[in-house]
Amino acid sequence: MERRSGSTKLAPAGFVVEHAEIDTDCVFLDVRATALSATCPCCGTSSRRTQSRYLRQAADLPIAGRRVVLRVTVRRFWCDAVLCRRRIFAERFGADVLAPLSRRTGRLETIVHHLGLALGGRPAAAFADRLMVPVSNDTLLRV
Ligand SMILES: [Zn+2]
């Protein structure tokens, strides 16, 4: 069995699972980023000073026939750069992991994209449903 230290494939790269809850048709994973600092999107200064936290939800790859909902704890940091207009910013994750405002992880987005390309709108939606991949007809038609 392949093992990599410091990483778990249960959560996308850069995240650690703090708590898991299994429902009849859903798995909830409480995750947080492992990075100690974040970079201000305005000035590029790195910060380790956490201001607050909030929860964000995103769908991830299904596990054993259950949909997976990531409950991501997102930190807000202080920007300490004197000349920066931004005082507080939220940490960001790579577009391949979890893009800003996206309701799906990057790896789930990839599967949705390929389903759409291979099967086209409606058949892809039916297949996605059988795979427990949460995606709307509209999203697949857009792909
Ligand atoms: Zn800044």
Side-chain angles (χ1 to χ4, degrees), residues 40 42-45 79 81 84 86:
C40 172
C42 201
C43 70
T45 303
C79 179
C84 185
R86 201 77 166 261

Side-chain angles (χ1 to χ4, degrees), residues 14 32-40 44-50 75-78 89-93:
R32 63 171 175 81
T34 51
L36 294 174
S37 62
T39 304
C40 172
T45 303
S46 170
S47 174
R48 288 180 170 229
R49 277 209 307 137
T50 307
R75 294 167 292 178
R76 289 193 188 91
F77 288 87
W78 292 103
F89 65 91
E91 64 184 324
R92 291 184 180 216
F93 314 110

